[in-house]
Amino acid sequence: VRAFLFLADHESADVWFGLLSSSAMFDRQAGLDLKALMPLARLSDSPQAAGWSSDDLDGWWNLNKDREEIRDRASLLFSIFDAIGEDVPDVSWEALIEGPARTIVAMPHPALWYRLESASRTGSQGEGPRLGETVLLSLIALGEGGPGEADPVVLRRVLKSLIAAGLEAESRALAMEAAVAAGL
């Protein structure tokens, strides 16, 4: 299912969702697997996630909170949702506060942040965003590891910049790549 969602092949994913839904009536694990897929399905714009919203993140968190490295994955997921305009309830963020208050990450130079923001917005003279520059600076900001290894803060900023520049589909594709790479 993840592969079909990643490819935005919703027709093929629907077949597997149907199988999981049928199995969930008799198999508790199938029901849990189905619930675990919903954030990725929502991110992929799958029709299967039409009724799922970021308000359901609390249920997703409770389902996964005992998994290894879930705080990192949840931080990534919540940052992605925030970047693409999905509301992430405060209670979802609050669940992640336990643990270390600081982490060490490689961050782009502040001048790069400024240039990325400047390139992605429409200028005061009515000129549009500078698309090529926005894409180039986004790739530099993500670093050699790309979206799969980017820190959630860096990824959020890049996604928001791409969206501001009118590159929403490309932003979602990067978000999907990061989410799948993180094991969501």
Side-chain angles (χ1 to χ4, degrees):
V1 175
R2 283 180 174 82
F4 289 129
L5 291 173
F6 181 73
L7 296 171
D9 183 351
H10 299 287
E11 189 174 311
S12 297
D14 283 350
V15 173
W16 288 99
F17 273 117
L19 180 64
L20 271 174
S21 295
S22 297
S23 297
M25 289 188 275
F26 307 103
D27 180 6
R28 181 178 180 274
Q29 186 59 49
L32 295 174
D33 291 343
L34 186 61
K35 288 180 182 179
L37 284 169
M38 284 300 109
L40 195 60
R42 180 67 176 200
L43 185 56
S44 176
D45 275 337
S46 170
Q48 293 291 333
W52 196 90
S53 73
S54 53
D55 291 336
D56 296 311
L57 283 175
D58 192 42
W60 176 85
W61 170 255
N62 288 328
L63 178 68
N64 291 288
K65 66 182 175 185
D66 296 327
R67 291 179 56 203
E68 187 176 327
E69 298 180 16
I70 193 60
R71 279 186 168 56
D72 292 339
R73 290 180 181 148
S75 294
L76 176 72
L77 178 65
F78 298 171
S79 295
I80 289 171
F81 274 176
D82 181 65
I84 65 170
E86 295 275 348
D87 182 47
V88 178
D90 289 342
V91 68
S92 296
W93 285 110
E94 289 168 7
L96 302 181
I97 291 179
E98 291 180 24
R102 296 188 181 270
T103 60
I104 298 172
V105 296
M107 295 294 286
H109 192 279
L112 180 64
W113 277 143
Y114 172 79
R115 293 294 304 166
L116 179 57
E117 183 180 332
S118 173
S120 67
R121 68 175 177 247
T122 302
S124 60
Q125 304 299 323
E127 70 272 4
R130 299 181 306 275
L131 297 181
E133 186 178 354
T134 300
V135 171
L136 177 63
L137 292 171
S138 294
L139 293 172
I140 293 169
L142 290 173
E144 291 179 21
E149 293 182 22
D151 181 77
V153 172
V154 174
L155 183 62
R156 178 184 174 277
R157 183 77 169 259
V158 165
L159 296 175
K160 287 185 83 64
S161 295
L162 291 171
I163 290 168
L167 300 169
E168 186 169 332
E170 293 80 357
S171 177
R172 277 193 178 265
L174 280 176
M176 281 295 294
E177 183 176 338
V180 170
L184 291 170

